Amino acid sequence: GTIMLLRSVLRRKKIARCNKSLNYSGSHTRNYSLKPVTYLTEEEIMLKDTVSKFAKEKIAPFVSQMEQEKTIFPSVFEGCFDMGLMGVEVDPKYGGNGMGFMSSILTIEELAKVDSSVAVAVDIQNTLVNRSLRLFGTEEQKEKYLPRLTSDTLSSFCLSEPGSGSDAFAMKTRASKDNDNYIINGSKCWISTAREAGLYLVFANIDPEGKSYKGITAFLVDKENPGIKIGKNEDKLGLVASSTCEVIFDNCIVSKDAILGEIGKGYKVAIELLNEGRVGIAAQQVGLAQGVFDHTIPYIKQRKQFNQAISSFQGVQFDVARLATEIQTARVMTYNTVRMIENNDTIVREASMAKLYASQMAERVSSKCIELLGGVGFTKDFPVEKYYRDCKVGQIYEGTTNIQLSTIAKSVLNEY
């Protein structure tokens, strides 16, 4: 894909720089200066620019139509696969790009500037499902699924149920053992990309009574399985083009080889993935806020009232300054958490802080941008109202605002 070609160019440049650095005379002084968390490598900058160009040219022209038709066009998904955006961190031997977590986050952020519906599908693929296979999958599972996930197969993360949202481990979906197989029965709700997915990461309890979270087990289920059915697509406030459906398991038979990780350790898989998945949500919200801001500023610079651009009024300038500061604050929090992950640091608190702040910031920014635009901002002829609707779910999925607050508070109080 395009990303692999960019990496090849960068490797040649890096080799050239290394060769040049060896041709020195006298003492050699190394620079140990620390870089800011917003510093991006040359590879990351090229990726960011490439994704930005792709989003503006191949996604932006269809956003309104996809919203109206409540679907993401197959050509858009095909473009994401062709660009290598569906396997950013996956090892190249499985068809991925072998890049770092920051590259996944930058991809999500750049896509969300244009359309959060597309961004959420790419987010799920990279930070949840691909990551689950990389961390917990057997070699056989990686060889079976990762080449598909990087080339043509979408995926869904099936955890939430009607009676287990924030209390995720109160799930009712059961997996009963039958010789070398497991039979899954139950249903999942609010499952993103469920309609288009070809692979489902499903959490079910092997404890018949469901009394212990230590019975929860993760399973990899193919869409072709006759025991899986997709329910109706929810009619949502935002992310309208992204499918969100019930997924029903009716005597869904899977082999023991479908277990991801260890039997009864699915709760560990979920926790590990959601901690980092929340950083992906934070990146979505940062990108969304930047996108609505980028639509707003040019308008207020050309819109005139009282014979002058409304951007020249001090009150408007103060709003612009506050919004820019909030966006950058959320970005710094998100990037800092990413660098901590890449450094193998514990990020439970930081991930919750980033998601909490970024999701609330996105709502404030999109709301204020509508105000700055006036009447035009309230119409669907201008794209900012979509950003306002799309941002709200950021405070709900992958851990509600109250769950993030609770997580942060426990972490802080444990220090004293």
Side-chain angles (χ1 to χ4, degrees):
T2 305
I3 303 301
M4 293 298 288
L5 290 174
L6 291 175
R7 295 200 76 199
S8 177
V9 172
L10 285 168
R11 279 195 295 269
R12 289 197 295 271
K13 287 186 176 181
K14 186 175 182 180
I15 291 170
R17 285 198 301 269
C18 289
N19 290 337
K20 183 177 180 181
S21 69
L22 292 174
N23 296 322
Y24 64 89
S25 58
S27 62
H28 178 60
T29 303
R30 293 181 179 176
N31 181 7
Y32 287 106
S33 60
L34 297 176
K35 293 181 173 63
V37 294
T38 52
Y39 170 86
L40 302 178
T41 65
E42 186 177 1
E43 179 179 81
E44 290 165 348
I45 291 170
M46 289 185 69
L47 170 74
K48 181 177 183 292
D49 292 344
T50 301
V51 177
S52 176
K53 185 173 185 292
F54 167 74
K56 291 174 182 175
E57 294 180 357
K58 303 300 183 180
I59 299 176
F62 307 108
V63 170
S64 178
Q65 188 179 354
M66 291 193 298
E67 174 100 350
Q68 292 172 10
E69 297 184 20
K70 297 183 179 180
T71 189
I72 297 174
F73 295 160
S75 61
V76 170
F77 281 133
E78 288 168 9
C80 289
F81 280 113
D82 291 343
M83 290 291 293
L85 307 185
M86 291 302 196
V88 177
E89 298 172 74
V90 176
D91 192 306
K93 73 178 182 179
Y94 304 115
N97 295 311
M99 304 174 85
F101 189 53
M102 178 61 86
S103 295
S104 286
I105 292 303
L106 292 171
T107 297
I108 294 162
E109 181 183 347
E110 290 304 312
L111 292 174
K113 289 179 183 179
V114 172
D115 188 7
S116 287
S117 289
V118 177
V120 72
V122 175
D123 186 358
I124 291 167
Q125 194 93 343
N126 283 288
T127 70
L128 294 178
V129 180
N130 287 352
R131 194 168 188 82
S132 73
L133 281 159
R134 289 172 45 236
L135 294 177
F136 303 102
T138 64
E139 184 58 35
E140 291 74 17
Q141 289 171 334
K142 292 176 183 177
E143 290 177 353
K144 179 178 180 180
Y145 291 112
L146 287 176
R148 291 170 53 192
L149 292 169
T150 58
S151 61
D152 59 15
T153 302
L154 292 163
S155 59
S156 285
F157 183 80
C158 303
L159 178 64
S160 295
E161 297 182 5
S164 62
S166 293
D167 186 9
F169 297 152
M171 64 181 64
K172 300 297 183 184
T173 300
R174 299 285 181 265
S176 56
K177 197 170 189 321
D178 181 31
N179 295 319
D180 287 338
N181 297 324
Y182 285 86
I183 304 174
I184 304 174
N185 282 286
S187 65
K188 301 291 181 177
C189 64
W190 318 114
I191 305 305
S192 298
T193 324
R195 184 176 57 195
E196 299 85 1
L199 176 66
Y200 301 86
L201 175 55
V202 182
F203 294 85
N205 202 325
I206 62 172
D207 177 2
E209 303 299 323
K211 293 180 178 179
S212 174
Y213 67 89
K214 292 185 178 180
I216 295 172
T217 303
F219 296 89
L220 296 164
V221 183
D222 288 283
K223 188 169 190 173
E224 292 76 20
N225 192 308
I228 188 170
K229 300 175 183 176
I230 308 303
K232 75 178 183 69
N233 187 25
E234 300 291 347
D235 190 8
K236 308 186 299 292
L237 169 72
L239 299 185
V240 175
S242 171
S243 67
T244 305
C245 310
E246 182 182 19
V247 180
I248 304 155
F249 302 93
D250 183 11
N251 289 324
C252 179
I253 302 173
V254 296
S255 75
K256 63 181 181 180
D257 296 332
I259 293 173
L260 181 68
E262 299 178 49
I263 296 174
K265 297 294 179 67
Y267 67 96
K268 288 188 175 181
V269 174
I271 290 171
E272 179 83 17
L273 295 176
L274 289 174
N275 281 336
E276 298 182 4
R278 286 167 181 165
V279 187
I281 303 300
Q284 280 183 45
Q285 301 299 296
V286 170
L288 183 153
Q290 188 66 60
V292 71
F293 191 74
D294 290 346
H295 280 292
T296 302
I297 300 305
Y299 182 87
I300 65 172
K301 290 182 71 175
Q302 62 88 25
R303 166 75 169 164
K304 291 187 177 181
Q305 290 290 278
F306 306 103
N307 296 317
Q308 57 185 313
I310 60 175
S311 61
S312 66
F313 293 105
Q314 190 178 58
V316 173
Q317 292 177 353
F318 285 175
D319 283 337
V320 169
R322 290 190 187 98
L323 298 183
T325 301
E326 287 210 54
I327 294 170
Q328 184 65 0
T329 300
R331 180 177 287 113
V332 169
M333 293 177 72
T334 302
Y335 287 12
N336 179 62
T337 308
V338 172
R339 294 308 188 197
M340 289 178 68
I341 290 170
E342 293 181 337
N343 197 45
N344 295 316
D345 294 331
T346 301
I347 50 88
V348 175
R349 182 200 301 186
E350 286 75 15
S352 287
M353 284 180 167
K355 181 185 184 295
L356 171 71
Y357 186 83
S359 62
Q360 294 179 332
M361 173 278 300
E363 183 176 14
R364 289 192 295 268
V365 169
S366 55
S367 176
K368 179 56 70 174
C369 283
I370 289 176
E371 290 181 35
L372 290 172
L373 291 165
V376 70
F378 198 66
T379 69
K380 292 196 174 185
D381 292 332
F382 209 70
V384 299
E385 62 84 30
K386 178 183 181 298
Y387 288 90
Y388 186 52
R389 290 184 288 105
D390 284 349
C391 76
K392 190 59 187 178
V393 73
Q395 298 176 41
I396 300 172
Y397 60 10
E398 295 199 37
T400 64
T401 292
N402 281 351
I403 289 294
Q404 307 313 318
L405 289 169
S406 177
T407 299
I408 296 163
K410 287 177 183 176
S411 176
V412 172
L413 292 171
N414 283 339
E415 290 186 351
Y416 290 84

